[in-house]
C-alpha cells in the first residue's frame, strides 16, 4: 500500500509539473530582441513568437542586442534561469555577434595582446566573438546543459541570415559561414586564414550550432536556411530589404520581417512535433496584440500603440480590410495622418500590415474603447484601455548634470544620486561640438554651448558594429532616501555625434540593474553637430532600496577614429513619497510633539528646515515632514 501511495504521489507530481509547463523562454541577439515601438521601427522576431502559441502559453523574450553566445550565457541565461521551471521550453539562437573579431575569440585576443605588453591594443579589443568550432559550441552547450538540469527543454535555432545578396542568392557570409574571409589567432598574433571550400564548415556558425544540438541530443531549428529561402523569394536584395528590413542595413527586421520569421520558427517546430498541439498557424485574419493595453501615462499625454494585421489564406483572394475605432481613439498607418477609420487592400489571399492607435488622456483614471476590423463577413474586436495618473503630494526631486566642465550635478529633494560612470568609455574633453553646432530652436542655445565629448577606450570605432556593445556605455542614476519611494516622471538629455555623421546610440533606463531595460531613444547615423533632445515621461516608481539607472550606449557606423558622442543637460525628475503611506505628511498635529529633528541623511538639526525633515515624536515614533 505504501509503495502504491508513493507511486500515485509521484504521478500526481509529474502531472502537476506537466500542467504548469506554460512558458517558452527565448534567448538571442538583436534579431530576436524586443524593441520599444515608440523609439524605433526595428523589431525582433521574438516579439511575435508568442502569438503562435495557444492560450495558456506565454513567450518570455530575454534577447538583447549585441550579445554573443558568451554574453548569452553570462548575462541573458543568468536572468532567464530564475524563471525557468520544469516543463518549460527555452529557444536559444546566437551567431551574429559571435562573428566579431572575424572568427577569433575576443577574450583570447585580448589575452594575446596583454601577453606581449600591448596595453593599447588589449584595451581596444571587442570582447565579443567566439571561434565557431570551439568557444561558440562551448557556450551554447553550457546553456543547453543547464536548461536540461532544470527539467526544461532546450531548442537551438541557427541564426537568421543577413540580407547579403550575390545576384539573387544569399552569400556565404550572409549565412554565417566565414570560410571566404576570416582570421585565426596564432602565437604570433592574428593572421588571415586560408579560403575554405564551400564544403568545409570549419568557420560556419550555423553548422556548428546544429552540431551542438546533435551532440546534446536536442531539437534543432534551421532558421539560417529558412530565412535564406524567404529572402531569396523576393528576387533581390533591394526588394527583400524593402519588404522585411528596418531600412538601417541588412540585419534587423521591420514588423513584417520579424513576424514572418517568428511564424517560420513556429512552423518548423510544429513540423518536428515540438509543441505541435500548442502551436497555431492561422490561415485567416488575425490581429496582434488581440487586446490593447496602452499602459499608464500622466493626464494630458497622448499614448500610442502598434497593432499588426496578419492574413494568410484569406477569402476572397482580393479584398479590403477596414479598421474603425470608437470615440477618443485615432488610427494611422504612418503616425502622421490620424483618422477614426482606415482601410487597406490585399491581394493573393495575404495581408501583413501595421497600424497605430493613439488615445489622449484628458481625464483621470482608466479610459476604454474598441477597435474593430472588418473583412467580408468577418469582424474582429480589439478592446483597448489606457490609464491617466496624477502625481499628488510628495516632495519634488530633481537631479541635473550640466556636463559643461565636469561631471558634477545639482540635486533638489530627498534622494541620493549615483554619479556618472563609464564602461569602455572616457571623457575626451568639454567643449562646444563645433562652431556650426545647430541646437533645436526652442532651446535658445547657440554654438558656444559646451557639451561633454566622450570617446571609446582605444579611440578607434570598429568597422563591423551594427548595434550597441554591452561593454561600452555611460551611466547615471538616482535612488530614494531611506524610507522613501521615488515616482519618476521625466528623464531627458541632449545627445550629438561629433566629427562625422555615423554616430549611433541607444538610451535606456532600468530599475533592476539592467536585467531588463526600457528604450527611450534610438538614433542611427546622427547628423554631426546637431544635438538631439531625448525625453521620456515614464510612470516609474523606484522603491526604497532600488536604483533607477540611465545608460547611453554609443557605436559608430563604420571604422573611424576620434569620433565622439557628445552629451549634456541630463535631468531626472519626480517626487519623493513615504514608502509606507505613499504621501509626505504635511501638518504635524497637536497630539504629539517632536523631540528631535534630523535631516534625511541622519544629521541632527535644531528645528524644522525647508524641505524634508525627519522627527522623533514624543511617543518614540519616527515621522517625515515637508516644510
Amino acid at each position: 500500500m505504501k509503495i502504491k501511495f508513493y507511486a500515485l504521489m509521484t504521478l500526481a507530481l509529474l502531472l502537476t509539473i506537466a500542467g504548469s509547463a506554460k512558458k517558452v523562454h527565448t534567448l538571442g541577439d538583436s534579431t530576436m530582441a524586443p524593441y520599444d515601438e515608440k523609439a524605433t521601427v526595428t523589431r525582433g522576431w521574438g516579439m511575435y513568437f508568442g502569438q503562435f502559441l495557444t492560450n495558456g502559453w506565454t513567450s518570455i523574450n530575454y534577447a538583447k542586442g549585441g550579445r554573443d553566445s558568451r554574453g548569452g550565457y553570462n548575462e541573458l541565461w543568468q536572468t532567464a534561469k530564475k524563471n525557468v521551471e520544469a516543463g518549460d521550453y527555452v529557444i536559444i539562437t546566437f551567431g551574429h555577434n559571435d562573428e566579431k573579431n572575424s572568427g577569433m575569440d575576443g577574450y583570447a585576443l585580448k589575452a594575446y595582446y596583454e601577453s606581449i605588453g600591448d596595453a593599447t591594443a588589449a584595451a581596444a579589443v571587442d570582447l565579443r566573438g567566439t571561434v565557431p568550432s570551439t568557444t561558440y559550441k562551448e557556450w551554447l552547450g553550457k546553456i543547453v546543459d543547464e536548461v536540461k538540469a532544470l527539467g526544461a527543454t532546450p531548442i537551438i535555432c541557427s541564426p537568421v541570415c543577413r540580407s547579403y545578396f550575390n545576384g539573387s542568392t544569399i552569400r556565404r557570409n550572409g549565412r554565417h559561414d566565414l570560410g571566404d574571409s576570416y582570421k585565426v589567432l596564432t602565437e604570433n598574433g592574428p593572421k588571415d586564414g586560408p579560403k575554405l571550400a564551400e564544403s568545409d564548415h570549419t568557420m560556419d556558425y550555423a553548422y556548428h550550432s546544429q552540431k551542438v544540438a546533435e551532440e546534446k541530443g536536442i531539437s534543432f531549428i534551421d532558421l539560417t536556411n529558412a530565412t535564406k529561402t524567404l529572402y531569396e523569394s523576393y528576387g533581390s536584395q533591394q526588394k527583400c530589404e524593402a519588404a522585411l528590413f528596418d531600412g538601417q542595413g541588412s540585419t534587423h527586421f521591420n514588423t513584417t520581417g520579424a513576424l514572418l520569421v517568428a511564424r517560420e520558427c513556429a512552423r518548423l517546430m510544429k513540423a518536428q512535433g515540438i509543441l505541435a498541439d500548442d502551436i497555431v498557424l492561422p490561415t485567416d485574419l488575425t490581429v496582434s496584440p488581440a487586446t490593447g493595453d496602452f499602459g499608464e501615462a500622466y493626464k494630458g499625454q497622448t499614448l500610442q500603440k502598434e497593432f499588426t494585421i496578419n492574413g494568410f489564406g484569406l477569402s476572397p483572394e482580393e479584398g479590403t480590410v477596414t479598421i474603425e475605432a470608437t470615440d477618443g481613439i485615432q488610427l494611422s498607418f504612418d503616425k502622421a495622418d490620424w483618422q477614426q477609420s482606415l482601410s487597406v487592400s490585399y491581394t493573393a489571399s495575404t495581408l501583413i500590415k501595421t497600424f497605430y492607435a493613439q488615445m489622449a488622456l484628458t481625464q483621470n483614471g482608466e479610459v476604454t474603447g474598441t477597435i474593430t476590423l472588418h473583412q467580408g463577413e468577418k469582424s474582429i474586436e480589439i478592446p483597448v484601455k489606457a490609464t491617466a495618473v496624477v502625481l499628488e503630494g510628495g516632495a519634488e526631486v530633481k537631479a541635473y548634470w550640466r556636463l559643461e566642465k565636469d561631471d558634477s550635478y545639482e540635486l533638489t529633494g530627498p534622494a541620493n544620486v549615483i554619479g556618472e560612470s563609464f564602461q569602455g568609455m572616457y571623457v575626451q574633453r568639454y567643449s562646444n561640438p563645433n562652431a556650426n553646432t545647430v541646437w533645436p530652436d526652442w532651446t535658445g542655445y547657440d554654438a558656444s554651448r559646451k557639451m561633454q565629448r566622450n570617446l571609446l577606450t582605444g579611440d578607434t570605432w570598429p568597422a563591423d558594429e551594427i548595434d550597441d556593445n554591452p561593454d561600452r556605455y555611460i551611466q547615471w542614476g538616482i535612488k530614494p532616501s531611506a524610507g522613501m519611494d521615488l515616482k519618476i516622471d521625466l528623464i531627458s538629455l541632449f545627445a550629438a555625434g561629433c566629427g562625422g555623421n555615423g554616430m549611433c546610440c541607444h538610451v535606456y533606463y532600468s530599475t533592476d540593474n539592467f536585467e531588463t531595460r526600457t528604450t527611450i531613444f534610438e538614433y542611427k547615423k546622427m547628423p554631426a553637430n546637431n544635438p538631439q533632445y531625448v525625453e521620456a515621461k515614464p510612470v516609474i516608481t523606484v522603491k526604497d532600496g532600488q536604483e533607477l539607472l540611465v545608460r547611453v550606449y554609443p557605436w559608430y557606423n563604420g571604422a573611424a577614429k576620434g569620433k565622439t558622442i557628445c552629451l549634456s543637460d541630463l535631468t531626472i525628475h519626480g517626487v519623493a513619497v513615504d514608502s509606507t503611506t505613499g504621501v509626505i505628511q504635511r501638518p504635524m498635529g497637536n497630539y504629539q510633539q517632536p523631540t528631535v529633528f534630523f535631516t534625511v541623511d541622519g544629521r541632527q538639526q535644531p528645528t524644522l528646515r525647508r524641505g524634508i525633515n525627519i522627527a522623533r515624536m514624543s511617543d518614540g515614533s519616527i515621522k517625515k515632514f515637508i516644510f
Side-chain angles (χ1 to χ4, degrees), residues 297-533:
Y298 299 105
K299 181 181 175 181
Q301 288 184 258
T302 297
L303 290 175
Q304 292 183 2
K305 191 166 184 64
E306 179 182 280
F307 296 86
T308 303
I309 307 170
N310 313 309
F312 300 95
L314 298 179
S315 180
E317 292 186 0
E318 298 184 1
T320 300
V321 174
T322 60
I323 314 165
E324 299 174 343
T326 53
D327 290 344
I329 304 171
Q330 295 288 304
L331 307 171
S332 178
F333 287 131
D334 61 5
K335 295 187 180 181
D337 182 19
W338 293 95
Q339 306 174 36
Q340 204 164 349
S341 65
L342 302 170
S343 63
V344 57
S345 300
Y346 68 87
T347 59
S349 298
T350 301
L351 172 63
I352 300 177
K353 185 68 174 179
T354 296
F355 71 93
Y356 304 90
Q358 70 176 15
M359 300 177 72
L361 303 181
T362 59
Q363 60 188 41
N364 294 343
E366 186 174 275
V367 181
T368 61
T370 305
I371 300 171
T372 306
L373 280 69
H374 302 281
Q375 185 254 332
E377 299 295 320
K378 182 178 178 66
S379 295
I380 300 175
E381 286 194 352
I382 309 168
V384 299
K385 67 177 182 178
T387 303
V389 297
V390 177
L391 286 183
E392 296 178 339
E396 182 181 21
V397 169
K398 179 181 178 182
Y400 174 71
W401 288 260
R402 170 63 184 86
L403 303 179
E404 178 184 24
K405 57 183 179 181
D406 55 33
D407 61 358
S408 62
Y409 58 83
E410 299 172 7
L411 175 64
T412 302
N416 297 297
V417 163
I418 300 165
E420 185 178 29
S421 61
F422 299 84
Q423 176 69 38
M425 300 285 298
Y426 73 96
V427 178
Q428 182 199 44
R429 65 182 185 274
Y430 294 86
S431 69
N432 59 317
N434 187 281
N436 298 318
T437 300
V438 179
W439 291 86
D441 289 340
W442 57 266
T443 64
Y445 302 156
D446 61 29
S448 65
R449 188 172 178 85
K450 294 181 178 181
M451 300 182 77
Q452 183 187 77
R453 301 182 63 146
N454 303 288
L455 266 173
L456 78 168
T457 302
D459 296 356
T460 301
W461 299 91
D464 58 349
E465 293 197 316
I466 57 173
D467 207 333
D468 60 56
N469 183 331
D471 298 317
R472 182 197 307 138
Y473 58 83
I474 306 168
Q475 174 181 281
W476 307 260
I478 195 170
K479 60 183 178 180
S481 297
M484 308 189 79
D485 294 341
L486 287 178
K487 294 183 178 293
I488 303 298
D489 62 358
L490 174 70
I491 302 170
S492 65
L493 71 147
F494 285 101
C498 302
N501 296 319
M503 187 60 66
C504 312
C505 80
H506 286 142
V507 183
Y508 307 106
Y509 72 78
S510 175
T511 58
D512 59 9
N513 198 31
F514 276 83
E515 286 194 2
T516 59
R517 63 190 184 182
T518 298
T519 307
I520 60 175
F521 183 73
E522 174 187 276
Y523 205 129
K524 297 175 181 176
K525 303 178 185 178
M526 289 192 281
N529 310 313
N530 278 253
Q532 306 295 313
Y533 183 56

Side-chain angles (χ1 to χ4, degrees), residues 24-25 27 77 84 88-92 143 147 152-156:
V24 177
H25 309 265
L27 303 176
W77 172 240
V84 173
D88 287 356
Y89 286 74
V90 181
I91 298 176
I92 308 158
I143 300 174
V147 171
T153 301
I155 301 167
I156 287 183

